């Protein structure tokens, strides 16, 4: 079963086997998106020629509120991938307890092969084709892989010109100057930290944990800084080229400086170079995959020696690996809970735009903490109620909330 959408459906089917109220007509409804839209975007290139790009928007469910989810620019973006991510967004928003549904979009393109002007024209083209189905009360896109705050600003500008809409609440992840929220940059890493706080004692983890983080981009580097600022020892981090280990803890600020200069983590003074595979097998309290999907697999799950896994990447643990970790009694705090800080602050941005307000960073963080702690508590309670894993608890919680709204 290699189709990612079939794999995602298998999870909701498993939830329906545990809680029978989630089967039958409801399950049939959840197996298909409300709408999946494929568009062609005819775009003028800098040399005067015209090129057609294929674009997508999948609106999975708006039972709990407007569709919400990112737009991905990637040569391999296809409708099955976008459909899967739209279903996961539906579940994530429900777990986070925000009044939004789930969607996802994309354009099949290689951003590095386009000039900035071409990128702007194709982005605006995506909006022109989809404007009818977007809007603050309909569908609120956001950035995803290879889409930036600047692209959100172009898209938002195009939408407002086309429709006369004035709030700017149709796109989130915008630059602060055009209605973006404070705190969006660190939101996913910080939300992951608040989730961890909600579970630390319950999972029997020590007051000061030893942490290993795979990925040192937006999510991984912010998480590393936040955990170490709060007195935890980040003993290892990695990026696509490999990682570094220092049993006494890494100085994250200095490591960021080192990476900027050396363009690599390797060779950081006082640390030992390690591979990504070695990082996943380190003895530590919390292993945080924060790079990309399917990194903990059937082949390496048995080697994991962390006491718990906090999934900040989307889908980092393959289904077979999940079972192995469960047998080893290593709890996995699932992605749809642990990395929902990003979409929660996107929801705050939408709220601020609709109300014509701009909240301080402190206000954003305080609200984020409240949402993440509540979601962590709810997931734990649900997994205990059904005597199942935290992942299944989160999926059941999400589906029950969606079903109630329907
Ligand atoms: P990013 O591009 O900023 O960083 C990705 C990091 O992963 C980089 O350090 C990169 O070097 C590393 N990486 C790439 N290939 C690797 C490999 N083979 N082995 C080890 N490391 C590798 O991306 P990001 O925004 O930090 O996102 C990371 C993950 O978090 C993704 O799964 C993303 O879907 C998920 N996520 C991100 C957000 C967000 O707000 N940015 C929200 C929810 C989920």
């Amino acid at each position: 079963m290699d189709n990612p959408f079939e794999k995602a459906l298998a999870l909701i089917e498993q939830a329906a086997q545990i809680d029978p109220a989630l089967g039958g007509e409801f399950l049939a409804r959840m197996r298909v998106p409300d709408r999946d839209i494929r568009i062609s975007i005819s775009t003028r290139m800098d040399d005067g020629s015209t090129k057609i790009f294929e674009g997508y928007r999948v609106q999975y469910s708006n039972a709990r509120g407007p569709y919400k989810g990112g737009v991905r620019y990637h040569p391999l973006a296809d409708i099955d991938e976008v459909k899967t991510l739209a279903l996961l967004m539906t579940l994530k928003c429900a777990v986070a307890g925000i009044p939004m549904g789930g969607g996802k979009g994309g354009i099949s393109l290689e951003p590095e092969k386009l000039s900035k002007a071409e990128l702007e024209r194709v982005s605006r083209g995506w909006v022109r084709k989809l404007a009818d189905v977007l809007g603050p009360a309909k569908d609120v896109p956001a950035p995803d892989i290879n889409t930036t705050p600047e692209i959100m600003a172009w898209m938002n500008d195009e939408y407002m010109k086309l429709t006369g809409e004035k709030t700017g609440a149709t796109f989130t992840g915008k630059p602060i100057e055009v209605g973006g929220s404070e705190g969006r940059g660190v939101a996913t890493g910080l939300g992951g930290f608040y989730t961890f706080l909600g579970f630390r004692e319950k999972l029997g983890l020590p007051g000061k944990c030893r942490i290993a983080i795979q990925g040192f981009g937006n999510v991984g580097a912010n998480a590393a800084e936040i955990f170490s600022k709060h007195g935890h020892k980040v003993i290892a981090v990695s990026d696509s080229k490999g990682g570094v280990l220092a049993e006494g803890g890494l100085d994250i600020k200095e490591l960021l400086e080192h990476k900027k200069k050396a363009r690599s983590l390797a060779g950081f003074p006082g640390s030992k170079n390690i591979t990504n595979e070695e990082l996943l097998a380190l003895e530590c309290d919390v292993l945080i995959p924060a790079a990309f999907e399917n990194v903990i697999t059937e082949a390496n799950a048995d080697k994991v020696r962390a006491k718990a896994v906090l999934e900040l990447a989307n889908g980092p643990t393959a289904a077979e690996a999940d079972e192995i970790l469960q047998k080893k009694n290593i709890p996995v705090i699932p992605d749809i809970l642990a990395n929902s800080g990003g979409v929660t602050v996107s929801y705050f941005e939408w709220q601020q735009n609709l109300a014509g307000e701009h909240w301080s960073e402190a206000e954003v963080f305080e609200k984020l903490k409240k949402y993440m702690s509540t979601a962590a508590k709810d997931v734990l309670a649900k997994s205990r109620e059904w005597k199942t894993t935290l992942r299944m608890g989160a999926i059941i919680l999400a589906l029950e909330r969606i079903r109630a709204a329907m």
Side-chain angles (χ1 to χ4, degrees), residues 302-356:
D302 208 33
K303 298 193 189 120
V304 172
R305 288 186 294 160
K307 295 199 186 94
V309 176
L310 179 72
E311 291 187 333
L312 293 193
N314 278 316
T317 312
E320 303 78 12
D322 232 3
E323 280 176 34
I324 298 171
L325 294 179
Q326 202 185 332
K327 282 194 195 118
K328 285 168 61 108
N329 278 326
I330 300 175
V332 178
I333 305 171
D335 49 3
I336 55 170
L337 167 66
N339 72 24
S340 64
V343 73
T344 301
V345 173
S346 278
Y347 158 60
F348 296 161
E349 180 176 337
W350 176 78
Q351 275 189 313
Q352 290 170 75
N353 295 155
L354 289 176

Side-chain angles (χ1 to χ4, degrees), residues 184 188 214-219 239-240 276 290-292 312-314 339:
R184 178 62 186 88
T188 305
Q214 184 189 50
F216 203 55
N218 174 302
V219 177
D239 64 14
S240 56
N276 266 290
F292 62 109
L312 293 193
N314 278 316
N339 72 24

Side-chain angles (χ1 to χ4, degrees), residues 50-66:
T50 297
K51 200 169 166 184
I52 312 283
F53 293 92
E54 193 168 26
Y56 313 91
R57 185 70 182 167
V58 173
Q59 298 181 324
Y60 207 95
S61 164
N62 64 354
R64 288 177 40 85

Side-chain angles (χ1 to χ4, degrees), residues 139-156:
D139 185 345
V140 183
D144 192 62
I145 293 175
N146 290 327
T147 46
T148 57
E150 186 177 34
I151 293 176
M152 291 305 112
W154 294 331
M155 288 186 158
N156 192 49

Side-chain angles (χ1 to χ4, degrees), residues 350-387:
W350 176 78
Q351 275 189 313
Q352 290 170 75
N353 295 155
L354 289 176
E357 291 176 0
H358 187 77
W359 304 344
S360 69
E361 189 182 76
E363 200 175 344
V364 169
F365 289 171
E366 194 192 314
K367 285 181 203 272
L368 178 65
K369 187 172 188 182
K370 216 159 112 196
Y371 271 86
M372 299 303 299
S373 321
T374 306
K377 225 187 294 152
D378 293 348
V379 166
L380 188 65
K382 197 52 75 180
S383 65
R384 286 185 174 161
E385 178 187 339
W386 293 101
K387 297 188 176 48

Side-chain angles (χ1 to χ4, degrees), residues 7-265:
K7 283 188 189 170
L9 289 181
L11 286 175
I12 62 172
E13 278 157 12
Q14 203 183 326
Q17 278 166 11
I18 297 173
D19 177 358
L22 302 175
E25 286 176 3
F26 173 72
L27 181 61
R29 185 71 199 82
M30 286 306 296
R31 288 178 63 85
V32 285
D34 286 350
R35 258 200 199 130
D36 75 49
I37 306 167
R38 195 182 299 227
I39 57 171
S40 54
I41 309 162
S42 176
T43 306
R44 187 171 50 79
M45 306 305 279
D46 291 345
D47 66 4
S49 65
T50 297
K51 200 169 166 184
I52 312 283
F53 293 92
E54 193 168 26
Y56 313 91
R57 185 70 182 167
V58 173
Q59 298 181 324
Y60 207 95
S61 164
N62 64 354
R64 288 177 40 85
Y67 304 104
K68 181 94 200 83
V71 184
R72 179 170 286 201
Y73 286 2
H74 198 271
L76 300 178
D78 70 33
I79 200 82
D80 267 332
E81 183 191 55
V82 177
K83 221 157 61 171
T84 308
L85 295 165
L87 168 57
L88 293 178
M89 281 306 296
T90 307
L91 299 176
K92 193 181 291 187
C93 291
V95 170
I98 60 175
M100 310 218 84
K104 202 84 182 186
I107 307 180
S108 306
L109 58 74
E110 285 177 86
E112 59 279 7
K113 294 207 171 147
L114 268 62
S115 72
K116 193 167 167 183
E118 289 167 342
L119 204 57
E120 177 171 352
R121 287 195 288 272
V122 70
S123 301
R124 288 180 182 273
W126 188 87
V127 174
R128 278 197 300 279
K129 277 278 162 85
L130 291 168
D132 284 350
V133 297
L134 304 178
K138 293 184 192 168
D139 185 345
V140 183
D144 192 62
I145 293 175
N146 290 327
T147 46
T148 57
E150 186 177 34
I151 293 176
M152 291 305 112
W154 294 331
M155 288 186 158
N156 192 49
D157 179 64
E158 188 68 22
Y159 183 80
M160 294 205 293
K161 277 185 183 146
L162 281 168
T163 62
E165 207 277 329
K166 293 277 189 289
T167 66
T170 306
F171 291 85
T172 61
K174 303 181 293 294
I176 302 265
E177 296 75 14
V178 291
S181 179
E182 302 291 340
R184 178 62 186 88
V186 300
T188 305
L190 184 60
F193 176 68
Y194 291 148
T195 310
F196 156 82
L197 290 184
F199 282 99
R200 191 190 61 73
E201 271 183 45
K202 284 157 190 121
L203 298 182
L205 296 169
K208 300 287 172 215
C209 285
R210 286 154 46 83
I211 317 270
I213 304 178
Q214 184 189 50
F216 203 55
N218 174 302
V219 177
N222 277 310
E225 274 201 290
I226 294 162
F227 274 88
S228 63
K229 199 174 93 192
H230 287 86
H232 300 282
K233 222 177 251 178
V234 178
I235 60 164
V237 300
S238 68
D239 64 14
S240 56
K241 294 185 197 150
V244 285
L245 163 71
E247 289 290 351
L250 293 158
D251 184 319
I252 304 303
K253 277 214 161 55
E254 281 181 18
L255 184 57
L256 281 162
E257 283 301 311
H258 168 82
K259 185 176 168 169
K260 221 186 271 168
K261 280 190 214 131
R263 300 186 150 271
S264 158
L265 294 166

